[in-house]
């Protein structure tokens, strides 16, 4: 009898690369780390930031079971009782689901292109994360992942607790506006600032960060320039596409001048110098700043009489 030898081969199928959530092209300005603010009230209704985070993850990784709230009399302190927590169900012991969890956490805590550490966690208002017996806290970010001593090891889900700003969608992830479209943020934080000029030609900046200012923006201004009475028209536009609002100014002789702004590069003193970029603009009686081409750079649409 001729022996029949059957060769057995293990076929390895490559796991498709995971696609992290789509991240806007943020500028260098970023939210501060969320402070430690444990649950101290009870309102177990889901807050919009928790829902938004779940939807963001589901869009990237497919639908996963999620839990948001907890009854007021169920256990001890928990942001679930304020509707600002998310349990996103992933099984540590399943290699595929573990890879998803690790990809989510890497995406949240990675450094962005501007050098901002833990960038997406900060922009979403993440207060702390728990996964596989470890905890990462925004208020102790420098300590990295630490041992978690709670009764639940969190091997079947990632726990997310949000700051109140994150829960209310008041962080830069949710408030950001695409550069060149509608933003008029001089400081690059996605909150619209005011630039005012006086009859004597001095220019004043009234900055705004609605969260920092407790809902009362434009309380005080500071002088940032002079000589602006040489221009008869000033247009706010992100001409350079970096997320900071530049100024395009027209003189009575029809010449156009660009005063670019990068608030960080310029050490908080924008519009220090300008350069001529055109002439003949006194032929138009209306000029509108708009990103007509959709490329993130502000275009000008001009109307003649």
């Amino acid at each position: 009898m001729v022996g029949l030898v059957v060769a057995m081969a293990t076929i390895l199928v490559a796991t498709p690369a995971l696609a992290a959530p789509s991240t806007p092209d943020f500028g260098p300005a970023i939210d501060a780390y969320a402070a430690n603010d444990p649950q101290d009230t009870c309102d177990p209704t889901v807050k919009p930031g928790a829902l938004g985070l779940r939807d963001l993850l589901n869009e990237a990784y497919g639908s996963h079971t999620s839990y948001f709230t907890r009854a007021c009399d169920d256990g001890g302190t928990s942001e679930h009782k304020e509707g600002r927590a998310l349990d996103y169900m992933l099984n540590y012991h399943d290699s595929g689901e573990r890879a998803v969890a690790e990809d989510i956490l890497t995406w949240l805590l990675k450094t962005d292109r501007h050098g901002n550490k833990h960038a997406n966690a900060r922009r979403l208002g993440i207060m702390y994360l728990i996964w596989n017996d470890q905890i990462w806290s925004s208020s102790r970010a420098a300590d990295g992942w630490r041992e978690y001593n709670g009764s639940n090891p969190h091997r079947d889900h990632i726990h997310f607790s949000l700051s109140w700003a994150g829960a209310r969608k008041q962080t830069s992830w949710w408030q950001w506006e695409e550069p060149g479209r509608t933003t008029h943020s001089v400081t690059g934080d996605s909150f619209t600032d005011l630039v005012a000029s006086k009859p004597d030609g001095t220019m004043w900046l009234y900055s705004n960060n609605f969260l920092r200012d407790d809902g009362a923006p434009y309380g005080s201004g500071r002088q940032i320039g002079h000589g602006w009475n040489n221009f008869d028209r000033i247009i706010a536009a992100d001409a350079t596409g970096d997320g900071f609002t530049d100024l395009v100014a027209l003189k009575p002789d029809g010449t156009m001048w660009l005063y670019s702004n990068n608030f960080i590069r310029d050490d908080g003193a924008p519009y220090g110098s300008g350069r001529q970029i055109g002439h003949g603009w006194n032929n138009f009686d209306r000029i509108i700043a708009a990103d007509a081409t959709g490329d993130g750079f502000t275009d000008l649409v001009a109307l003649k009489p």
Side-chain angles (χ1 to χ4, degrees), residues 21-278:
S22 177
T23 304
D25 186 20
F26 293 110
I30 194 168
D31 311 67
Y33 285 96
N36 184 39
D37 184 13
Q39 174 251 333
D40 58 6
T41 62
C42 193
D43 175 23
T45 55
V46 185
K47 302 304 182 287
L51 282 171
L53 177 58
R54 187 275 313 272
D55 293 344
L56 192 68
L57 298 178
N58 279 352
E59 183 177 354
Y61 300 104
S63 181
H64 289 80
T65 301
S66 301
Y67 299 99
F68 298 96
T69 62
R70 184 177 299 169
C72 297
D73 58 357
D74 183 3
T77 300
S78 171
E79 288 73 47
H80 284 294
K81 298 181 181 181
E82 294 175 324
R84 56 185 179 109
L86 166 66
D87 285 345
Y88 197 71
M89 307 307 288
L90 293 164
N91 184 355
Y92 175 83
H93 299 290
D94 180 291
S95 61
E97 294 192 7
R98 184 170 66 249
V100 170
E102 291 172 352
D103 199 67
I104 291 170
L105 297 173
T106 298
W107 170 75
L108 283 171
L109 301 180
K110 70 180 181 180
T111 300
D112 70 10
R113 66 187 180 91
H114 303 290
N116 295 311
K117 295 181 178 180
H118 314 118
N120 292 325
R122 293 164 67 181
R123 293 190 182 282
L124 285 161
I126 301 293
M127 191 166 72
Y128 63 86
L129 304 160
I130 308 174
W131 166 250
N132 187 33
D133 266 333
Q134 292 186 303
I135 182 171
W136 180 90
S137 303
S138 185
S139 61
R140 296 181 57 181
D143 295 335
W145 286 97
R146 314 185 318 275
E147 183 180 358
Y148 176 67
N149 297 315
S151 59
N152 186 330
H154 291 73
R155 294 196 185 100
D156 60 355
H157 69 279
I158 304 174
H159 173 90
F160 304 82
S161 275
L162 299 175
S163 67
W164 277 111
R168 292 167 176 152
K169 283 192 169 183
Q170 294 174 337
T171 58
S172 63
W173 183 278
W174 308 111
Q175 298 291 325
W176 181 80
E177 295 174 338
E178 185 175 350
R181 290 188 182 271
T182 58
T183 183
H184 289 92
S185 176
V186 177
T187 58
D189 61 1
S190 297
F191 294 91
T192 299
D193 309 303
L194 296 180
V195 176
S197 57
K198 291 185 177 181
D200 64 2
T202 57
M203 177 172 282
W204 297 71
L205 171 63
Y206 288 79
S207 62
N208 162 37
N209 182 307
F210 202 73
L211 304 180
R212 178 199 65 206
D213 301 337
D214 294 327
Y218 316 126
S220 61
R222 60 185 177 88
Q223 185 177 337
I224 58 171
H226 57 83
W228 288 88
N229 49 358
N230 293 319
F231 300 97
D232 59 2
R233 200 179 315 181
I234 300 172
I235 303 166
D238 184 9
T240 57
D242 62 358
F244 297 90
T245 299
D246 311 303
L247 295 180
V248 176
L250 282 73
K251 290 186 176 181
D253 64 2
T255 56
M256 176 178 282
W257 296 72
L258 172 63
Y259 287 78
S260 62
N261 162 37
N262 182 306
F263 201 75
I264 295 176
R265 178 200 65 206
D266 300 337
D267 293 328
Y271 317 127
S273 61
R275 59 186 176 89
Q276 185 177 336
I277 58 172

